Amino acid sequence: MIWPFSKKKKELSVDEELARIRPVAAVVRHLGYDITEYGLEVAIISLDSGYSTEETASHIVVVSLARDVKETLDPERAFKLNAIGMAVLENLKIFKDAGTMRPEIWQNDSTAIGKLIFPSPETEVWIDKILSDPVSARHPVATSRIL
């Protein structure tokens, strides 16, 4: 089976495709989100492009967090998003230190998360930048299990 956005030339069986994306879904879940069906398609694109499981999960969570921050008006929800972001940052550092996430990807994603969870004049700019990706921001890629 070839997923709609997959650039794989060789057709993979459903079991092979699921085996590739299950680890991404597990890391996304560990980071407090549930990957959507569309997020699975984005994950396949990311994996096909050479990103690791952890890098792919990080991207999905950053896009989801940006969407959540953009939609947040409630101060209690904003406080929860801050806590979620801090927990994600701790995990991403573990991935970087373990060598499963490249330092430059970690730097980019951790900077983005910091700009999202610590409100500043730049927050809106970062939200727009993250959500400008025509593929990964087209539809929700994950939903928070905590909000």
Side-chain angles (χ1 to χ4, degrees):
M1 169 179 185
I2 296 181
W3 289 82
F5 297 112
S6 180
K7 293 181 182 178
K8 278 290 206 196
K9 301 215 183 322
K10 177 186 163 218
E11 188 169 327
L12 298 176
S13 71
V14 172
D15 289 340
E16 290 170 321
E17 286 283 16
L18 289 174
R20 293 179 67 219
I21 57 178
R22 273 191 189 110
V24 174
V27 174
V28 169
R29 184 167 177 77
H30 176 75
L31 296 174
Y33 282 81
D34 288 323
I35 197 165
T36 64
E37 186 172 327
Y38 185 77
L40 294 173
E41 295 171 5
V42 171
I44 294 233
I45 294 169
S46 181
L47 293 170
D48 286 350
S49 298
Y51 291 96
S52 72
T53 295
E54 291 79 1
E55 291 166 345
T56 298
S58 177
H59 176 69
I60 287 169
V61 170
V62 168
V63 170
S64 300
L65 186 61
R67 190 179 292 270
D68 289 343
V69 170
K70 183 175 183 168
E71 296 171 357
T72 295
L73 297 174
D74 176 22
E76 184 178 323
R77 183 176 170 152
F79 182 75
K80 286 181 183 177
L81 286 170
N82 183 282
I84 292 168
M86 292 300 293
V88 170
L89 285 172
E90 288 178 28
N91 281 279
L92 296 187
K93 183 169 183 332
I94 292 168
F95 300 154
K96 178 193 63 95
D97 291 347
T100 58
M101 181 176 225
R102 288 173 279 182
E104 62 273 16
I105 304 279
W106 174 81
Q107 181 65 47
N108 185 59
D109 289 0
S110 62
T111 298
I113 291 169
K115 297 294 184 183
L116 292 171
I117 65 172
F118 298 113
S120 74
E122 296 178 320
T123 301
E124 194 69 35
V125 172
W126 276 85
I127 291 170
D128 292 342
K129 181 179 176 180
I130 294 164
L131 297 180
S132 70
D133 184 303
V135 175
S136 61
R138 182 180 301 155
H139 302 290
V141 288
T143 56
S144 174
R145 292 184 9 257
I146 299 165
L147 294 178

